Amino acid sequence: QVQLVESGGGLVQAGGSLRLSCTASGRTFTTVSMAWFRQAPGKEREFVAGVNWNGGFRNYAESVKGRFTISRDNAKNTLYLQMDSLKPEDTADYYCAAQPRSPRWDGEYDYWGQGTQVTVSS
């Protein structure tokens, strides 16, 4: 059974930092792109950041550029999202995804995690 499990969410004050992790089991994703999405209450899911199979190319949503950093450790089959200078508007459930179905970073993916909650207080 293939699973993506996120961790690292929590409550943080504005300006603070969090590091999310997404560990894969059941298969490796070392040859496919992976990404982070988020969904705030009452809003649609949105793309946050993506990384290609070897970490050589990264893409970010405009709203997080310069504050968030996506990375991956293929030896550990783990995806990360370092979030700095957090803002209340970053509050959302964060999901990792693997193996995009199209060239679009913000498109559909074959595998999704269950999500981890991030709350940023003002």
Side-chain angles (χ1 to χ4, degrees), residues 1-5 22-35 51-55 72-79 96-100 109-113:
Q1 182 181 1
V2 178
Q3 279 190 314
L4 296 175
V5 180
C22 171
T23 301
S25 62
R27 61 157 284 183
T28 61
F29 292 97
T30 56
T31 61
V32 302
S33 296
M34 298 184 73
V51 62
N52 74 331
W53 70 275
N54 66 356
R72 64 191 296 168
D73 185 338
N74 284 343
K76 296 181 179 179
N77 221 18
T78 300
L79 177 72
C96 69
Q99 193 164 290
Y109 287 69
D110 284 332
Y111 301 96
W112 293 87

Side-chain angles (χ1 to χ4, degrees), residues 43-114:
K43 294 187 177 181
E44 293 188 353
R45 185 182 67 196
E46 64 173 351
F47 169 79
V48 174
V51 62
N52 74 331
W53 70 275
N54 66 356
F57 182 81
R58 307 173 190 184
N59 190 44
Y60 296 93
E62 286 296 326
S63 59
V64 306
K65 276 185 181 178
R67 301 188 298 121
F68 290 11
T69 303
I70 188 171
S71 62
R72 64 191 296 168
D73 185 338
N74 284 343
K76 296 181 179 179
N77 221 18
T78 300
L79 177 72
Y80 302 100
L81 185 67
Q82 177 66 41
M83 306 186 294
D84 299 318
S85 302
L86 282 161
K87 304 175 181 180
E89 50 264 43
D90 295 318
T91 295
D93 291 327
Y94 283 72
Y95 300 87
C96 69
Q99 193 164 290
R101 295 181 180 176
S102 74
R104 292 178 59 93
W105 284 106
D106 60 350
E108 283 298 322
Y109 287 69
D110 284 332
Y111 301 96
W112 293 87
Q114 85 292 345

